[in-house]
Amino acid sequence: QVQLVESGGGLVQPGGSLRLSCAASGSSFSMDVMGWHRQAPGKQRELVADITSGGSTNDADSVKGRFTISRDNAKNTVHLQMNSLKPEDTAVYYCYVEARELMSGRRFAYWGQGTQVTVSS
């Protein structure tokens, strides 16, 4: 099993910044892809950004130029630096990991419990 622990989030004014972090634990797994999705009230969950163990990133068009995803492979931690936040960024942000079991090669997806980000004046 892989456990995910999220931190960060909260209330920020428009134009402000927040940093989300997620630490994954599970010594029998390789964390191949780590990233963040978000879900706003009444909307479907959507990809925000993800990053492979090799450093390749994938960002939603709505956050390009404002959000930066990074990871520390040694600590199995992923960070999302969110700048120039807008009210439409308000959502619950979920960490997720695509993990590969080292012994079997099987792949699994794991989700964090979610952290609220609210952008409001």
Side-chain angles (χ1 to χ4, degrees), residues 48-49 59-69 81-86:
V48 177
D59 305 325
D61 288 343
S62 59
V63 307
K64 285 183 187 298
R66 300 188 299 122
F67 292 10
T68 302
I69 192 167
Q81 178 65 43
M82 304 185 292
N83 298 328
S84 302
L85 282 160
K86 305 175 181 180

Side-chain angles (χ1 to χ4, degrees), residues 25-57:
S25 60
S27 59
S28 300
F29 293 84
S30 171
M31 314 303 172
D32 288 354
V33 181
M34 303 183 76
W36 296 89
H37 281 63
R38 67 186 180 187
Q39 187 166 18
K43 295 188 176 181
Q44 290 188 329
R45 191 175 296 190
E46 62 176 2
L47 171 71
V48 177
D50 60 27
I51 182 168
T52 69
S53 57
S56 296
T57 62

Side-chain angles (χ1 to χ4, degrees), residues 7-9 17-21 68 70 78-82 85:
S7 60
S17 298
L18 283 174
R19 180 178 171 89
L20 305 182
S21 296
T68 302
S70 62
V78 62
H79 306 285
L80 185 68
Q81 178 65 43
M82 304 185 292
L85 282 160

